[in-house]
Amino acid sequence: KAGVTQTPRYLIKTRGQQVTLSCSPISGHRSVSWYQQTPGQGLQFLFEYFSETQRNKGNFPGRFSGRQFSNSRSEMNVSTLELGDSALYLCASSLAAPNTGELFFGEGSRLTVL
Amino acid sequence: DAKTTQPTSMDCAEGRAANLPCNHSTISGNEYVYWYRQIHSQGPQYIIHGLKNNETNEMASLIITEDRKSSTLILPHATLRDTAVYYCIVRSSRGNDYKLSFGAGTTVTVRA
């Protein structure tokens, strides 16, 4: 069974640009969550999607957005990049039912903003 | 979600059991205890979870105290590949909240 796939694995952008990251969940998983990991703040929840609808959202500015497609694949977008957006962005998928199901994480997309 | 308290770091000898404590004194009745670990430069990996009873799987055992205010993750025979940051997380089972609130975790170093 293939795991969670995130692309690209590494990317470099400059301030003011935008970036789109992609996540393909495990087959059959319908819930996709996104997390940001930085040395200073640790792992922080961005948002979670289920059946193309955002169900939960963390405390991030509106520059951070996402969406989910009918095949459960998800993308997140960060506009007007800032230096502080440099981080490892992690995607996790879940069966979404039962609610006690564990999350399966991808290896992340490492974004560097110059 | 209830907050958790873990030691910042701990060392363990290869081949010995590693016992990782976690305090979650404000846990409520519908909240599960989850353990994840993150090996350097990889995404977090699910280890185990439980509600009231002790749990065991191929990776580890989870011992939850009777009052549920604390728990211990046991890696029975630690190997060098178990060196990682271990996160203890408490999460509600109600609704459709799949958010995990990660703390700083415990950095476990397994030494040969």
mmCIF file of all heavy atoms in Angstrom, chain A residues 23-69:
data_model
loop_
_atom_site.group_PDB
_atom_site.id
_atom_site.type_symbol
_atom_site.label_atom_id
_atom_site.label_comp_id
_atom_site.label_asym_id
_atom_site.label_seq_id
_atom_site.Cartn_x
_atom_site.Cartn_y
_atom_site.Cartn_z
ATOM 1 N N CYS A 23 -0.408 16.974 -2.112
ATOM 2 C CA CYS A 23 -0.430 15.808 -1.228
ATOM 3 C C CYS A 23 -1.393 14.769 -1.791
ATOM 4 O O CYS A 23 -2.565 15.065 -2.042
ATOM 5 C CB CYS A 23 -0.879 16.226 0.170
ATOM 6 S SG CYS A 23 -1.174 14.841 1.299
ATOM 7 N N SER A 24 -0.882 13.555 -1.969
ATOM 8 C CA SER A 24 -1.737 12.442 -2.376
ATOM 9 C C SER A 24 -1.879 11.503 -1.189
ATOM 10 O O SER A 24 -0.874 10.937 -0.728
ATOM 11 C CB SER A 24 -1.129 11.695 -3.563
ATOM 12 O OG SER A 24 -1.134 12.513 -4.700
ATOM 13 N N PRO A 25 -3.103 11.352 -0.649
ATOM 14 C CA PRO A 25 -3.277 10.519 0.544
ATOM 15 C C PRO A 25 -3.207 9.035 0.212
ATOM 16 O O PRO A 25 -3.190 8.655 -0.965
ATOM 17 C CB PRO A 25 -4.678 10.899 1.020
ATOM 18 C CG PRO A 25 -5.401 11.275 -0.231
ATOM 19 C CD PRO A 25 -4.365 11.934 -1.107
ATOM 20 N N ILE A 26 -3.179 8.240 1.251
ATOM 21 C CA ILE A 26 -3.247 6.793 1.078
ATOM 22 C C ILE A 26 -4.589 6.454 0.428
ATOM 23 O O ILE A 26 -5.614 7.068 0.762
ATOM 24 C CB ILE A 26 -3.102 6.090 2.436
ATOM 25 C CG1 ILE A 26 -1.669 6.284 2.955
ATOM 26 C CG2 ILE A 26 -3.437 4.617 2.344
ATOM 27 C CD1 ILE A 26 -1.450 5.791 4.368
ATOM 28 N N SER A 27 -4.574 5.492 -0.471
ATOM 29 C CA SER A 27 -5.795 5.110 -1.171
ATOM 30 C C SER A 27 -6.893 4.733 -0.181
ATOM 31 O O SER A 27 -6.675 3.946 0.749
ATOM 32 C CB SER A 27 -5.500 3.915 -2.090
ATOM 33 O OG SER A 27 -6.674 3.485 -2.743
ATOM 34 N N GLY A 28 -8.069 5.347 -0.371
ATOM 35 C CA GLY A 28 -9.183 5.070 0.528
ATOM 36 C C GLY A 28 -9.308 6.056 1.668
ATOM 37 O O GLY A 28 -10.356 6.118 2.326
ATOM 38 N N HIS A 29 -8.261 6.817 1.934
ATOM 39 C CA HIS A 29 -8.325 7.836 2.985
ATOM 40 C C HIS A 29 -9.013 9.079 2.450
ATOM 41 O O HIS A 29 -8.673 9.568 1.368
ATOM 42 C CB HIS A 29 -6.924 8.188 3.489
ATOM 43 C CG HIS A 29 -6.333 7.141 4.353
ATOM 44 N ND1 HIS A 29 -5.197 7.366 5.119
ATOM 45 C CD2 HIS A 29 -6.697 5.861 4.596
ATOM 46 C CE1 HIS A 29 -4.903 6.260 5.794
ATOM 47 N NE2 HIS A 29 -5.790 5.337 5.480
ATOM 48 N N ARG A 30 -9.940 9.615 3.222
ATOM 49 C CA ARG A 30 -10.712 10.752 2.748
ATOM 50 C C ARG A 30 -10.413 12.051 3.491
ATOM 51 O O ARG A 30 -10.837 13.115 3.092
ATOM 52 C CB ARG A 30 -12.203 10.420 2.858
ATOM 53 C CG ARG A 30 -12.610 9.239 1.986
ATOM 54 C CD ARG A 30 -14.036 8.811 2.270
ATOM 55 N NE ARG A 30 -14.981 9.854 1.913
ATOM 56 C CZ ARG A 30 -16.268 9.815 2.252
ATOM 57 N NH1 ARG A 30 -16.734 8.816 2.975
ATOM 58 N NH2 ARG A 30 -17.075 10.778 1.875
ATOM 59 N N SER A 31 -9.704 11.928 4.600
ATOM 60 C CA SER A 31 -9.347 13.125 5.370
ATOM 61 C C SER A 31 -7.881 13.460 5.136
ATOM 62 O O SER A 31 -7.020 12.579 5.198
ATOM 63 C CB SER A 31 -9.592 12.876 6.862
ATOM 64 O OG SER A 31 -9.034 13.916 7.638
ATOM 65 N N VAL A 32 -7.613 14.722 4.848
ATOM 66 C CA VAL A 32 -6.240 15.193 4.655
ATOM 67 C C VAL A 32 -6.022 16.415 5.540
ATOM 68 O O VAL A 32 -6.812 17.354 5.519
ATOM 69 C CB VAL A 32 -5.969 15.561 3.186
ATOM 70 C CG1 VAL A 32 -4.581 16.199 3.057
ATOM 71 C CG2 VAL A 32 -6.059 14.325 2.292
ATOM 72 N N SER A 33 -4.945 16.362 6.310
ATOM 73 C CA SER A 33 -4.582 17.479 7.182
ATOM 74 C C SER A 33 -3.224 18.020 6.775
ATOM 75 O O SER A 33 -2.394 17.279 6.242
ATOM 76 C CB SER A 33 -4.497 17.018 8.648
ATOM 77 O OG SER A 33 -5.675 16.395 9.076
ATOM 78 N N TRP A 34 -3.009 19.295 7.064
ATOM 79 C CA TRP A 34 -1.712 19.926 6.779
ATOM 80 C C TRP A 34 -1.144 20.502 8.067
ATOM 81 O O TRP A 34 -1.878 21.076 8.887
ATOM 82 C CB TRP A 34 -1.875 21.048 5.758
ATOM 83 C CG TRP A 34 -2.158 20.566 4.366
ATOM 84 C CD1 TRP A 34 -3.377 20.320 3.804
ATOM 85 C CD2 TRP A 34 -1.191 20.287 3.350
ATOM 86 N NE1 TRP A 34 -3.234 19.903 2.498
ATOM 87 C CE2 TRP A 34 -1.899 19.883 2.196
ATOM 88 C CE3 TRP A 34 0.204 20.356 3.282
ATOM 89 C CZ2 TRP A 34 -1.264 19.544 0.998
ATOM 90 C CZ3 TRP A 34 0.839 20.020 2.091
ATOM 91 C CH2 TRP A 34 0.109 19.618 0.969
ATOM 92 N N TYR A 35 0.174 20.369 8.223
ATOM 93 C CA TYR A 35 0.888 20.888 9.381
ATOM 94 C C TYR A 35 2.129 21.633 8.916
ATOM 95 O O TYR A 35 2.737 21.282 7.910
ATOM 96 C CB TYR A 35 1.317 19.753 10.320
ATOM 97 C CG TYR A 35 0.190 19.086 11.053
ATOM 98 C CD1 TYR A 35 -0.622 18.149 10.411
ATOM 99 C CD2 TYR A 35 -0.080 19.388 12.383
ATOM 100 C CE1 TYR A 35 -1.672 17.541 11.074
ATOM 101 C CE2 TYR A 35 -1.134 18.784 13.052
ATOM 102 C CZ TYR A 35 -1.920 17.860 12.388
ATOM 103 O OH TYR A 35 -2.963 17.262 13.055
ATOM 104 N N GLN A 36 2.498 22.639 9.693
ATOM 105 C CA GLN A 36 3.745 23.363 9.462
ATOM 106 C C GLN A 36 4.699 23.047 10.599
ATOM 107 O O GLN A 36 4.306 23.066 11.761
ATOM 108 C CB GLN A 36 3.494 24.873 9.417
ATOM 109 C CG GLN A 36 4.750 25.699 9.161
ATOM 110 C CD GLN A 36 4.570 27.161 9.523
ATOM 111 O OE1 GLN A 36 4.357 27.499 10.685
ATOM 112 N NE2 GLN A 36 4.669 28.036 8.524
ATOM 113 N N GLN A 37 5.941 22.737 10.266
ATOM 114 C CA GLN A 37 6.924 22.468 11.314
ATOM 115 C C GLN A 37 8.117 23.394 11.160
ATOM 116 O O GLN A 37 8.781 23.413 10.124
ATOM 117 C CB GLN A 37 7.399 21.019 11.289
ATOM 118 C CG GLN A 37 8.336 20.675 12.454
ATOM 119 C CD GLN A 37 8.616 19.194 12.555
ATOM 120 O OE1 GLN A 37 8.608 18.472 11.566
ATOM 121 N NE2 GLN A 37 8.835 18.723 13.779
ATOM 122 N N THR A 38 8.389 24.168 12.201
ATOM 123 C CA THR A 38 9.551 25.040 12.252
ATOM 124 C C THR A 38 10.309 24.771 13.544
ATOM 125 O O THR A 38 9.722 24.299 14.518
ATOM 126 C CB THR A 38 9.152 26.527 12.211
ATOM 127 O OG1 THR A 38 8.310 26.801 13.352
ATOM 128 C CG2 THR A 38 8.402 26.866 10.937
ATOM 129 N N PRO A 39 11.614 25.081 13.582
ATOM 130 C CA PRO A 39 12.386 24.831 14.809
ATOM 131 C C PRO A 39 11.826 25.606 15.994
ATOM 132 O O PRO A 39 11.823 25.116 17.122
ATOM 133 C CB PRO A 39 13.789 25.317 14.440
ATOM 134 C CG PRO A 39 13.855 25.197 12.960
ATOM 135 C CD PRO A 39 12.469 25.529 12.479
ATOM 136 N N GLY A 40 11.319 26.788 15.756
ATOM 137 C CA GLY A 40 10.865 27.610 16.866
ATOM 138 C C GLY A 40 9.470 27.278 17.374
ATOM 139 O O GLY A 40 9.209 27.314 18.572
ATOM 140 N N GLN A 41 8.561 26.923 16.475
ATOM 141 C CA GLN A 41 7.167 26.703 16.833
ATOM 142 C C GLN A 41 6.765 25.242 16.868
ATOM 143 O O GLN A 41 5.661 24.907 17.299
ATOM 144 C CB GLN A 41 6.243 27.444 15.855
ATOM 145 C CG GLN A 41 6.437 28.940 15.835
ATOM 146 C CD GLN A 41 6.062 29.570 17.150
ATOM 147 O OE1 GLN A 41 5.077 29.193 17.774
ATOM 148 N NE2 GLN A 41 6.873 30.520 17.608
ATOM 149 N N GLY A 42 7.641 24.361 16.400
ATOM 150 C CA GLY A 42 7.289 22.947 16.385
ATOM 151 C C GLY A 42 6.244 22.652 15.318
ATOM 152 O O GLY A 42 6.143 23.353 14.314
ATOM 153 N N LEU A 43 5.471 21.619 15.563
ATOM 154 C CA LEU A 43 4.434 21.186 14.617
ATOM 155 C C LEU A 43 3.132 21.915 14.911
ATOM 156 O O LEU A 43 2.588 21.810 15.997
ATOM 157 C CB LEU A 43 4.184 19.687 14.752
ATOM 158 C CG LEU A 43 5.064 18.769 13.925
ATOM 159 C CD1 LEU A 43 5.172 17.403 14.567
ATOM 160 C CD2 LEU A 43 4.489 18.633 12.521
ATOM 161 N N GLN A 44 2.638 22.632 13.917
ATOM 162 C CA GLN A 44 1.402 23.376 14.109
ATOM 163 C C GLN A 44 0.389 23.013 13.028
ATOM 164 O O GLN A 44 0.729 22.935 11.848
ATOM 165 C CB GLN A 44 1.676 24.874 14.076
ATOM 166 C CG GLN A 44 2.501 25.369 15.259
ATOM 167 C CD GLN A 44 2.562 26.876 15.271
ATOM 168 O OE1 GLN A 44 3.206 27.492 14.438
ATOM 169 N NE2 GLN A 44 1.860 27.477 16.212
ATOM 170 N N PHE A 45 -0.847 22.846 13.451
ATOM 171 C CA PHE A 45 -1.930 22.459 12.562
ATOM 172 C C PHE A 45 -2.340 23.632 11.688
ATOM 173 O O PHE A 45 -2.568 24.739 12.166
ATOM 174 C CB PHE A 45 -3.108 21.983 13.411
ATOM 175 C CG PHE A 45 -4.374 21.729 12.658
ATOM 176 C CD1 PHE A 45 -4.533 20.584 11.892
ATOM 177 C CD2 PHE A 45 -5.422 22.633 12.715
ATOM 178 C CE1 PHE A 45 -5.701 20.340 11.202
ATOM 179 C CE2 PHE A 45 -6.602 22.403 12.032
ATOM 180 C CZ PHE A 45 -6.744 21.254 11.276
ATOM 181 N N LEU A 46 -2.466 23.361 10.390
ATOM 182 C CA LEU A 46 -2.910 24.380 9.431
ATOM 183 C C LEU A 46 -4.399 24.241 9.131
ATOM 184 O O LEU A 46 -5.183 25.146 9.388
ATOM 185 C CB LEU A 46 -2.112 24.275 8.132
ATOM 186 C CG LEU A 46 -0.716 24.894 8.148
ATOM 187 C CD1 LEU A 46 0.154 24.262 7.090
ATOM 188 C CD2 LEU A 46 -0.811 26.395 7.927
ATOM 189 N N PHE A 47 -4.773 23.136 8.540
ATOM 190 C CA PHE A 47 -6.178 22.864 8.227
ATOM 191 C C PHE A 47 -6.380 21.405 7.871
ATOM 192 O O PHE A 47 -5.427 20.668 7.638
ATOM 193 C CB PHE A 47 -6.733 23.746 7.085
ATOM 194 C CG PHE A 47 -5.724 24.222 6.085
ATOM 195 C CD1 PHE A 47 -5.047 23.334 5.274
ATOM 196 C CD2 PHE A 47 -5.455 25.585 5.956
ATOM 197 C CE1 PHE A 47 -4.111 23.770 4.358
ATOM 198 C CE2 PHE A 47 -4.530 26.036 5.032
ATOM 199 C CZ PHE A 47 -3.852 25.132 4.238
ATOM 200 N N GLU A 48 -7.659 21.017 7.863
ATOM 201 C CA GLU A 48 -8.022 19.637 7.554
ATOM 202 C C GLU A 48 -9.198 19.626 6.589
ATOM 203 O O GLU A 48 -10.126 20.420 6.731
ATOM 204 C CB GLU A 48 -8.384 18.875 8.827
ATOM 205 C CG GLU A 48 -8.688 17.381 8.599
ATOM 206 C CD GLU A 48 -10.154 17.012 8.727
ATOM 207 O OE1 GLU A 48 -10.935 17.831 9.240
ATOM 208 O OE2 GLU A 48 -10.512 15.905 8.294
ATOM 209 N N TYR A 49 -9.151 18.740 5.609
ATOM 210 C CA TYR A 49 -10.187 18.615 4.608
ATOM 211 C C TYR A 49 -10.773 17.220 4.601
ATOM 212 O O TYR A 49 -10.066 16.229 4.847
ATOM 213 C CB TYR A 49 -9.631 18.925 3.210
ATOM 214 C CG TYR A 49 -9.328 20.382 3.018
ATOM 215 C CD1 TYR A 49 -8.091 20.904 3.402
ATOM 216 C CD2 TYR A 49 -10.274 21.249 2.492
ATOM 217 C CE1 TYR A 49 -7.810 22.248 3.251
ATOM 218 C CE2 TYR A 49 -10.005 22.597 2.333
ATOM 219 C CZ TYR A 49 -8.773 23.080 2.713
ATOM 220 O OH TYR A 49 -8.506 24.417 2.572
ATOM 221 N N PHE A 50 -12.049 17.171 4.319
ATOM 222 C CA PHE A 50 -12.755 15.901 4.191
ATOM 223 C C PHE A 50 -13.823 16.081 3.133
ATOM 224 O O PHE A 50 -14.615 17.019 3.210
ATOM 225 C CB PHE A 50 -13.379 15.485 5.525
ATOM 226 C CG PHE A 50 -14.185 14.223 5.450
ATOM 227 C CD1 PHE A 50 -13.563 12.987 5.405
ATOM 228 C CD2 PHE A 50 -15.565 14.264 5.435
ATOM 229 C CE1 PHE A 50 -14.298 11.818 5.333
ATOM 230 C CE2 PHE A 50 -16.322 13.102 5.370
ATOM 231 C CZ PHE A 50 -15.677 11.881 5.317
ATOM 232 N N SER A 51 -13.837 15.195 2.162
ATOM 233 C CA SER A 51 -14.814 15.280 1.065
ATOM 234 C C SER A 51 -14.870 16.679 0.477
ATOM 235 O O SER A 51 -15.949 17.262 0.317
ATOM 236 C CB SER A 51 -16.210 14.854 1.560
ATOM 237 O OG SER A 51 -16.231 13.485 1.834
ATOM 238 N N GLU A 52 -13.716 17.225 0.174
ATOM 239 C CA GLU A 52 -13.555 18.514 -0.508
ATOM 240 C C GLU A 52 -13.982 19.709 0.339
ATOM 241 O O GLU A 52 -14.047 20.836 -0.173
ATOM 242 C CB GLU A 52 -14.332 18.519 -1.839
ATOM 243 C CG GLU A 52 -13.921 17.389 -2.787
ATOM 244 C CD GLU A 52 -14.739 17.374 -4.057
ATOM 245 O OE1 GLU A 52 -14.644 18.329 -4.836
ATOM 246 O OE2 GLU A 52 -15.489 16.388 -4.266
ATOM 247 N N THR A 53 -14.251 19.499 1.629
ATOM 248 C CA THR A 53 -14.687 20.581 2.507
ATOM 249 C C THR A 53 -13.670 20.775 3.628
ATOM 250 O O THR A 53 -13.203 19.803 4.225
ATOM 251 C CB THR A 53 -16.063 20.267 3.114
ATOM 252 O OG1 THR A 53 -17.007 20.102 2.059
ATOM 253 C CG2 THR A 53 -16.505 21.386 4.045
ATOM 254 N N GLN A 54 -13.365 22.032 3.918
ATOM 255 C CA GLN A 54 -12.478 22.307 5.047
ATOM 256 C C GLN A 54 -13.275 22.176 6.334
ATOM 257 O O GLN A 54 -14.240 22.912 6.554
ATOM 258 C CB GLN A 54 -11.885 23.714 4.935
ATOM 259 C CG GLN A 54 -10.843 24.010 6.002
ATOM 260 C CD GLN A 54 -10.305 25.427 5.901
ATOM 261 O OE1 GLN A 54 -10.834 26.358 6.505
ATOM 262 N NE2 GLN A 54 -9.253 25.603 5.120
ATOM 263 N N ARG A 55 -12.858 21.277 7.200
ATOM 264 C CA ARG A 55 -13.609 21.052 8.435
ATOM 265 C C ARG A 55 -12.980 21.739 9.633
ATOM 266 O O ARG A 55 -13.659 22.093 10.585
ATOM 267 C CB ARG A 55 -13.710 19.559 8.733
ATOM 268 C CG ARG A 55 -14.532 18.779 7.740
ATOM 269 C CD ARG A 55 -14.914 17.428 8.284
ATOM 270 N NE ARG A 55 -13.761 16.596 8.616
ATOM 271 C CZ ARG A 55 -13.839 15.324 8.937
ATOM 272 N NH1 ARG A 55 -15.017 14.726 8.990
ATOM 273 N NH2 ARG A 55 -12.755 14.629 9.225
ATOM 274 N N ASN A 56 -11.654 21.841 9.630
ATOM 275 C CA ASN A 56 -10.951 22.450 10.755
ATOM 276 C C ASN A 56 -9.865 23.374 10.226
ATOM 277 O O ASN A 56 -9.278 23.118 9.176
ATOM 278 C CB ASN A 56 -10.302 21.363 11.630
ATOM 279 C CG ASN A 56 -11.315 20.467 12.298
ATOM 280 O OD1 ASN A 56 -12.002 20.872 13.229
ATOM 281 N ND2 ASN A 56 -11.427 19.247 11.812
ATOM 282 N N LYS A 57 -9.596 24.421 10.978
ATOM 283 C CA LYS A 57 -8.591 25.380 10.555
ATOM 284 C C LYS A 57 -7.789 25.833 11.760
ATOM 285 O O LYS A 57 -8.348 26.081 12.825
ATOM 286 C CB LYS A 57 -9.257 26.582 9.898
ATOM 287 C CG LYS A 57 -8.301 27.545 9.214
ATOM 288 C CD LYS A 57 -9.080 28.639 8.507
ATOM 289 C CE LYS A 57 -8.175 29.513 7.644
ATOM 290 N NZ LYS A 57 -7.041 30.099 8.367
ATOM 291 N N GLY A 58 -6.478 25.934 11.587
ATOM 292 C CA GLY A 58 -5.610 26.414 12.654
ATOM 293 C C GLY A 58 -5.494 27.932 12.610
ATOM 294 O O GLY A 58 -6.177 28.608 11.848
ATOM 295 N N ASN A 59 -4.603 28.465 13.430
ATOM 296 C CA ASN A 59 -4.446 29.916 13.546
ATOM 297 C C ASN A 59 -3.355 30.441 12.629
ATOM 298 O O ASN A 59 -2.301 30.867 13.082
ATOM 299 C CB ASN A 59 -4.136 30.283 14.999
ATOM 300 C CG ASN A 59 -5.287 29.946 15.924
ATOM 301 O OD1 ASN A 59 -6.442 30.094 15.553
ATOM 302 N ND2 ASN A 59 -4.962 29.471 17.112
ATOM 303 N N PHE A 60 -3.631 30.401 11.357
ATOM 304 C CA PHE A 60 -2.698 30.922 10.370
ATOM 305 C C PHE A 60 -3.395 32.002 9.553
ATOM 306 O O PHE A 60 -4.605 31.981 9.396
ATOM 307 C CB PHE A 60 -2.220 29.791 9.442
ATOM 308 C CG PHE A 60 -1.123 28.956 10.024
ATOM 309 C CD1 PHE A 60 -1.404 27.942 10.920
ATOM 310 C CD2 PHE A 60 0.206 29.202 9.695
ATOM 311 C CE1 PHE A 60 -0.387 27.184 11.485
ATOM 312 C CE2 PHE A 60 1.232 28.440 10.239
ATOM 313 C CZ PHE A 60 0.934 27.427 11.136
ATOM 314 N N PRO A 61 -2.603 32.957 9.031
ATOM 315 C CA PRO A 61 -3.230 34.038 8.252
ATOM 316 C C PRO A 61 -3.854 33.525 6.955
ATOM 317 O O PRO A 61 -3.577 32.412 6.511
ATOM 318 C CB PRO A 61 -2.055 34.985 7.969
ATOM 319 C CG PRO A 61 -0.828 34.174 8.159
ATOM 320 C CD PRO A 61 -1.156 33.139 9.178
ATOM 321 N N GLY A 62 -4.656 34.375 6.345
ATOM 322 C CA GLY A 62 -5.367 34.008 5.138
ATOM 323 C C GLY A 62 -4.474 33.721 3.942
ATOM 324 O O GLY A 62 -4.942 33.175 2.936
ATOM 325 N N ARG A 63 -3.187 34.063 4.072
ATOM 326 C CA ARG A 63 -2.251 33.743 2.980
ATOM 327 C C ARG A 63 -2.112 32.238 2.788
ATOM 328 O O ARG A 63 -1.689 31.771 1.738
ATOM 329 C CB ARG A 63 -0.857 34.317 3.276
ATOM 330 C CG ARG A 63 -0.797 35.820 3.442
ATOM 331 C CD ARG A 63 0.628 36.303 3.612
ATOM 332 N NE ARG A 63 1.284 35.804 4.812
ATOM 333 C CZ ARG A 63 2.247 34.879 4.805
ATOM 334 N NH1 ARG A 63 2.645 34.333 3.664
ATOM 335 N NH2 ARG A 63 2.806 34.487 5.932
ATOM 336 N N PHE A 64 -2.450 31.511 3.821
ATOM 337 C CA PHE A 64 -2.388 30.054 3.769
ATOM 338 C C PHE A 64 -3.775 29.527 3.401
ATOM 339 O O PHE A 64 -4.756 29.795 4.097
ATOM 340 C CB PHE A 64 -1.955 29.481 5.116
ATOM 341 C CG PHE A 64 -0.545 29.785 5.491
ATOM 342 C CD1 PHE A 64 -0.210 31.013 6.040
ATOM 343 C CD2 PHE A 64 0.460 28.851 5.287
ATOM 344 C CE1 PHE A 64 1.111 31.314 6.373
ATOM 345 C CE2 PHE A 64 1.774 29.129 5.627
ATOM 346 C CZ PHE A 64 2.095 30.365 6.168
ATOM 347 N N SER A 65 -3.849 28.784 2.339
ATOM 348 C CA SER A 65 -5.135 28.233 1.913
ATOM 349 C C SER A 65 -4.934 26.824 1.380
ATOM 350 O O SER A 65 -3.806 26.397 1.121
ATOM 351 C CB SER A 65 -5.768 29.113 0.835
ATOM 352 O OG SER A 65 -4.948 29.131 -0.325
ATOM 353 N N GLY A 66 -6.018 26.132 1.231
ATOM 354 C CA GLY A 66 -5.910 24.780 0.721
ATOM 355 C C GLY A 66 -7.173 24.378 0.001
ATOM 356 O O GLY A 66 -8.165 25.125 -0.034
ATOM 357 N N ARG A 67 -7.120 23.208 -0.573
ATOM 358 C CA ARG A 67 -8.314 22.635 -1.172
ATOM 359 C C ARG A 67 -8.133 21.135 -1.319
ATOM 360 O O ARG A 67 -6.994 20.633 -1.258
ATOM 361 C CB ARG A 67 -8.611 23.264 -2.529
ATOM 362 C CG ARG A 67 -7.510 23.121 -3.565
ATOM 363 C CD ARG A 67 -7.955 23.732 -4.875
ATOM 364 N NE ARG A 67 -6.884 23.731 -5.884
ATOM 365 C CZ ARG A 67 -7.092 24.006 -7.169
ATOM 366 N NH1 ARG A 67 -8.297 24.296 -7.605
ATOM 367 N NH2 ARG A 67 -6.084 23.986 -8.020
ATOM 368 N N GLN A 68 -9.244 20.468 -1.506
ATOM 369 C CA GLN A 68 -9.194 19.024 -1.697
ATOM 370 C C GLN A 68 -10.032 18.690 -2.919
ATOM 371 O O GLN A 68 -11.111 19.263 -3.115
ATOM 372 C CB GLN A 68 -9.721 18.286 -0.463
ATOM 373 C CG GLN A 68 -9.559 16.772 -0.559
ATOM 374 C CD GLN A 68 -10.095 16.054 0.651
ATOM 375 O OE1 GLN A 68 -11.076 16.484 1.258
ATOM 376 N NE2 GLN A 68 -9.459 14.943 1.027
ATOM 377 N N PHE A 69 -9.542 17.766 -3.698
ATOM 378 C CA PHE A 69 -10.222 17.374 -4.923
ATOM 379 C C PHE A 69 -11.077 16.128 -4.692
ATOM 380 O O PHE A 69 -10.987 15.484 -3.644
ATOM 381 C CB PHE A 69 -9.183 17.124 -6.025
ATOM 382 C CG PHE A 69 -8.319 18.318 -6.291
ATOM 383 C CD1 PHE A 69 -7.070 18.447 -5.688
ATOM 384 C CD2 PHE A 69 -8.751 19.336 -7.128
ATOM 385 C CE1 PHE A 69 -6.271 19.548 -5.920
ATOM 386 C CE2 PHE A 69 -7.961 20.450 -7.355
ATOM 387 C CZ PHE A 69 -6.719 20.552 -6.753
#
